């Protein structure tokens, strides 16, 4: 399987890439590293990436910035960091990428536990992660050509055993599930 891994040099990407590379061809993409460059906040950058890479079976996104801070410090500009980058960036990966992904391919997005279990100082993350989960649930009803979409919603990554995190992403790409929010280590 040919997998596009966006955010391969990030915390989760560094865990996933070596394991996935044992059985799959991995094409990495990131803002500053990887085989290709991508700016998730720019739909033209997303389109360019999909035009450059052919025959993608799965797209996994483990990238996206989001603001952390208390409610009093939150403003439109800070909320838009996560909306434009993590939320809209992953939505655009699907909206644009569905035209390029192989039949019966899959998208795996990454949200986070704040979408279901917010804590103080994380309102922006709660908005973004909840939005990603809602998008996955809805988009799964309409994607064509057998394309599937799921989200991994991890808790604090440093508290998750690597094999548990890897198994969640592997489940999304290898099993015939669609529209699932896979919660990891809540």
């Amino acid at each position: 399987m040919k997998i596009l891994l966006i955010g391969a040099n990030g915390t989760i990407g560094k865990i996933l890439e070596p394991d996935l590379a044992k059985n799959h061809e991995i094409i990495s993409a990131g803002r500053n590293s990887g085989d290709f460059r991508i700016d998730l906040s720019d739909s033209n950058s997303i389109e360019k990436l999909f035009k450059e890479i052919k025959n993608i079976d799965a797209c996994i996104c483990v990238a996206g910035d989001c603001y952390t801070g208390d409610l009093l410090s939150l403003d439109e500009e800070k909320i838009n960091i996560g909306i434009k980058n993590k939320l809209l960036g992953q939505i655009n990966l699907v909206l644009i990428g569905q035209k390029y992904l192989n039949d019966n391919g899959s998208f795996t997005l990454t949200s986070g536990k704040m979408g279901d279990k917010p804590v103080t100082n994380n309102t922006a993350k709660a908005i973004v992660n909840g939005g990603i989960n809602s998008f996955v649930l809805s988009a799964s009803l309409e994607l064509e050509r057998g394309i599937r979409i799921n989200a991994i919603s991890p808790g604090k990554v440093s508290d998750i055993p690597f094999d548990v995190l890897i198994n969640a992403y592997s489940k999304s790409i290898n099993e015939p599930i669609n529209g699932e929010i896979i919660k990891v280590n809540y």
Side-chain angles (χ1 to χ4, degrees):
M1 183 182 307
K2 186 174 184 179
I3 300 172
L4 172 59
L5 178 59
I6 298 170
N9 200 41
T11 303
I12 297 174
K14 287 179 181 176
I15 296 167
L16 288 180
E17 185 173 26
D19 191 79
L20 292 174
K22 294 175 188 173
N23 299 308
H24 306 287
E25 177 186 355
I26 305 300
I27 308 298
S28 61
R31 185 176 28 219
N32 300 309
S33 63
D35 302 317
F36 293 87
R37 298 292 172 267
I38 184 171
D39 177 355
L40 285 177
S41 67
D42 179 1
S43 60
N44 292 321
S45 176
I46 295 169
E47 182 93 42
K48 180 178 183 277
L49 177 69
F50 278 109
K51 285 182 176 179
E52 290 177 351
I53 305 171
K54 305 294 183 222
N55 297 315
I56 301 167
D57 298 303
C59 176
I60 299 173
C61 185
V62 293
D65 294 332
C66 202
Y67 175 76
T68 301
D70 65 51
L71 189 63
L72 290 174
S73 71
L74 203 55
D75 58 26
E76 183 176 351
E77 182 179 339
K78 291 173 183 164
I79 290 173
N80 277 332
I81 293 168
I83 289 175
K84 289 181 178 180
N85 199 302
K86 187 174 179 180
L87 176 60
L88 194 54
Q90 291 190 82
I91 288 171
N92 279 332
L93 278 175
V94 176
L95 297 178
I96 295 166
Q98 69 181 325
K99 299 179 284 188
Y100 298 95
L101 208 63
N102 288 341
D103 290 356
N104 303 309
S106 72
F107 288 100
T108 303
L109 307 184
T110 302
S111 59
K113 78 172 185 178
M114 298 301 163
D116 294 317
K117 295 186 175 193
V119 297
T120 57
N121 300 326
N122 283 283
T123 298
K125 286 183 180 179
I127 293 166
V128 169
N129 292 337
I132 292 166
N133 291 345
S134 292
F135 174 74
V136 165
L137 294 171
S138 182
S140 70
L141 303 173
E142 297 187 55
L143 285 169
E144 298 178 348
R145 300 184 297 109
I147 295 175
R148 301 176 296 105
I149 184 171
N150 299 293
I152 308 303
S153 179
K156 187 176 179 183
V157 174
S158 61
D159 293 342
I160 303 172
F162 286 4
D163 63 323
V164 172
L165 192 60
I166 291 166
N167 287 340
Y169 283 91
S170 294
K171 178 179 180 177
S172 177
I173 61 171
N174 292 319
E175 294 184 16
I177 59 173
N178 187 33
E180 298 289 326
I181 310 303
I182 302 168
K183 298 175 182 178
V184 183
N185 213 43
Y186 274 39

